[in-house]
Amino acid sequence: MENYFEANFDGIVGPTHNYAGLSSGNVASLKNAGEVSKPKEAAKQGLAKAKSLADLGLVQGVLAPHMRPDLITLKRLGFTGKPSDIIEKAYKRAPEILAACYSCSPMWTANAATISPSPDTHDQKVHITPANLNNKFHRSIEPAMTAEILKKTFSDPNYFVHHQHLPEGGHFGDEGAANHTRFCTEYGDQGLEFFVFGKYGFDESKIAPTRFPARQTKEASQAIARLHGLNENKVVFSQQNPSTIDAGVFHNDVISVGNKNVYFYHEKALHEQDQAIAEIKSKFGEKPFYFIQVPESQVSVQDAVESYLFNSQLISLTPDSMAIVVPSECEENKNVQAYLKELVTMDNPINEVKVYDVKQSMKNGGGPACLRLRVCLSQQELTGVNQKTLLTDQSFSALNKWIDKHYRDEIRPSDIRDPNLMVECQNALDELSSLLGLGNIYPFQN
Ligand code: SUG
């Protein structure tokens, strides 16, 4: 069998990273609204995490940020004139719209797309569907640009099929890989794809959260499985526990994570959890599988939301062992710290904890797992990826220099009025697009 592995593509934090309080239901985003952000530090933290995983032997790539502010969207909303006029008018009349158009949310590439690897799909190609991110205005402006970046990154049509994002509107709300997990014994096996949704799009009588929005619908997950040509016997759909969404778990990757034959999840992660686990067991088949259920008595849902324990990356460092990559907030929570100590001694493949500081992203509700898009590839498919997007010693050093040259140390909420910020972002992305071999993908380049 061909050699398959899991690569990670991390989002580069953009030059306008800021705290605008845009995501209701995301506790950290609201709590830190209006704070001074540190874009340079944010971008370096993310990149350092990615490079560290590359140094462990994993294939690691990066995905480019989007141009901000999004002038095309501002124009669509009736702000006219030259770019500096558009910014000034929007700042005076609708600062909340300008802030949304300045968000660096594309950095959380777990929400960029859902990807099904070639062993799972009907034509043995890698299928990619960008998420429509309908639930939040600042995220709903991402899919078209994300699609362009993904096409330039996974560029060889012999291996990659790019679908259009699902139709806009709440019925098909889709947040990408944050609500999707793939189980397998070896990466090259036909995997079991596990989709977790927050609510039903077409049937409002069904159970749903009442306080905060559910961002993913069952109908969206089903559409992705159809588009990707997945085998029905190798797909499980399960509803996230609505009470956890109401407690601040706005994506499934804040309450569970899986890799290969391990599912690491909270006792309250899923609605009708026992049935979901039974279906995974029966569809996975006879081979060994580790279900690691974390009890509420040891780590509460609140602990999970505060520490982002489950927004970790489970990475395979040898065929039989895994490390868990957690944010440093896990060290600040006693219950989580105690649990992690126990986890690595239990009978399961996870035998190491790796801690990373991604605090700038965490303050907007994005942990290590939010910052990466997982792509299971064969060695041959890797040759069809734009090689300039892969992280090496050279590209890491070039990207750090690029950050030093273009990024501000700090951004205050009122800084979005400054047209120089836009110019700085354009200059930065112009240079980055050539560093990453993306061509002139940004609208201001044409
Ligand atoms: O969509 N935060 C993002 C965080 C996304 C985390 N991703 C995963 N769990 N996979 C969101 O809520 C906050 C931006 C602000 O408030 O400025 C924000 O968009």
Side-chain angles (χ1 to χ4, degrees), residues 310-444:
F310 297 94
N311 202 259
S312 47
Q313 295 178 242
L314 286 179
I315 52 172
S316 294
L317 294 178
T318 71
D320 307 314
S321 72
M322 296 185 195
I324 183 165
V325 170
V326 299
S328 48
E329 282 72 3
C330 285
E331 287 181 323
E332 291 155 23
N333 179 305
K334 282 204 184 78
N335 295 340
V336 169
Q337 212 182 8
Y339 183 82
L340 281 169
K341 275 208 182 106
E342 194 182 316
L343 175 68
V344 291
T345 64
M346 285 158 48
D347 174 29
N348 68 58
I350 306 171
N351 59 15
E352 201 183 342
V353 181
K354 293 192 169 290
V355 183
Y356 290 88
D357 176 1
V358 288
K359 283 196 191 303
Q360 282 290 311
S361 168
M362 282 289 288
K363 285 174 74 175
N364 253 338
C370 301
L371 286 162
R372 65 92 167 93
L373 179 61
R374 301 200 268 189
V375 194
C376 171
L377 295 170
S378 68
Q379 289 295 346
Q380 200 182 352
E381 287 158 356
L382 182 62
T383 64
V385 173
N386 170 353
Q387 301 294 301
K388 288 192 172 171
T389 63
L390 300 178
L391 210 51
T392 60
D393 290 344
Q394 289 76 16
S395 61
F396 178 65
S397 143
L399 286 168
N400 273 300
K401 280 192 196 131
W402 168 81
I403 292 166
D404 283 327
K405 179 171 161 195
H406 294 284
Y407 279 55
R408 292 190 182 187
D409 289 319
E410 293 188 344
I411 291 184
R412 290 178 167 64
S414 59
D415 290 343
I416 60 170
R417 187 179 190 171
D418 175 7
N420 288 329
L421 186 57
M422 174 198 69
V423 175
E424 287 161 25
C425 190
Q426 285 185 348
N427 289 340
L429 296 190
D430 197 33
E431 194 177 322
L432 182 72
S433 60
S434 101
L435 270 179
L436 299 181
L438 301 174
N440 290 338
I441 45 163
Y442 295 109
F444 68 87

Side-chain angles (χ1 to χ4, degrees), residues 18-23 26 29 103 105 108 110-111 138-139 178 215 250-251 253-254 311 364-366 370:
N18 70 95
Y19 300 119
L22 300 172
S23 278
N26 169 343
S29 156
S103 174
S105 52
W108 297 295
N111 305 119
H138 70 291
R139 304 221 62 179
R215 301 198 198 183
F250 56 96
H251 288 138
D253 69 2
V254 179
N311 202 259
N364 253 338
C370 301

Side-chain angles (χ1 to χ4, degrees), residues 234-308:
K234 287 286 179 188
V235 177
V236 174
F237 299 100
S238 172
Q239 186 168 9
Q240 195 186 322
N241 186 339
S243 74
T244 66
I245 296 180
D246 284 337
V249 181
F250 56 96
H251 288 138
N252 174 57
D253 69 2
V254 179
I255 203 73
S256 80
V257 58
N259 176 46
K260 286 177 107 178
N261 59 351
V262 172
Y263 187 42
F264 179 59
Y265 60 105
H266 191 271
E267 183 184 341
K268 296 199 169 162
L270 304 170
H271 177 59
E272 297 176 340
Q273 185 142 295
D274 293 346
Q275 278 152 261
I277 298 298
E279 194 178 346
I280 294 174
K281 265 187 196 155
S282 97
K283 289 189 169 169
F284 191 79
E286 293 303 307
K287 293 183 179 167
F289 196 104
Y290 298 86
F291 289 96
I292 312 173
Q293 179 170 302
V294 182
E296 169 78 15
S297 58
Q298 279 184 276
V299 175
S300 66
V301 171
Q302 203 187 330
D303 288 328
V305 172
E306 279 168 21
S307 68
Y308 265 42

